[in-house]
């Protein structure tokens, strides 16, 4: 099962979260033209996802805060805001 599907700003890609405990769990980006899924490295534990306006990175909500992860893997994920008392 997957959830949190979000289209990229240009509409060419879709980001989805595969539920924990399922085969292929994690954050994936699917190119709509080729239908090829690509796992986004460094986004383990993501439960909600959205794109940045320029489509170069994904914002993810995890149990410890809000993270930004470049889609191309050029940089590691970075914590933007720590969140206390959230259960995801």
């Amino acid at each position: 099962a997957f959830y949190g599907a979000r289209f990229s700003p240009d509409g060419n890609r879709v980001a989805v979260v595969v539920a924990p405990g399922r085969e292929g769990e994690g954050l994936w980006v699917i190119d709509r033209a080729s239908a090829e899924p690509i796992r986004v490295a460094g986004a383990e534990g993501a439960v909600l996802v959205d794109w940045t306006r320029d489509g170069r990175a994904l914002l993810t909500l995890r149990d410890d805060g809000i993270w930004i992860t470049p889609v191309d893997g050029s940089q590691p994920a970075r914590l933007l805001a720590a969140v206390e008392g959230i259960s995801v």
Side-chain angles (χ1 to χ4, degrees), residues 2 4 14-15 18 23 38-39 44-46 48 52 63 66 69 72 75 79 81 85 87:
F2 69 90
V14 180
V18 175
E23 183 177 343
I38 298 170
R39 184 187 292 266
E44 294 75 16
L48 293 175
T52 56
D63 62 358
I66 300 168
T69 306
D72 65 5
Q75 298 176 359
L79 181 64
S87 178

Side-chain angles (χ1 to χ4, degrees), residues 13-41:
R13 297 171 291 170
V14 180
V16 297
V17 176
V18 175
R22 302 285 184 159
E23 183 177 343
E25 74 178 80
L27 180 59
W28 294 82
V29 171
I30 303 166
D31 181 272
R32 292 182 65 202
S34 68
E36 181 178 344
I38 298 170
R39 184 187 292 266
V40 178

Side-chain angles (χ1 to χ4, degrees), residues 53-83:
R53 289 185 186 188
D54 62 10
R56 294 181 183 181
L58 293 164
L59 299 168
T60 57
L61 177 64
R62 306 183 204 180
D63 62 358
D64 59 349
I66 300 168
W67 291 75
I68 187 166
T69 306
V71 176
D72 65 5
S74 62
Q75 298 176 359
R78 180 171 50 96
L79 181 64
L80 291 179
V83 179

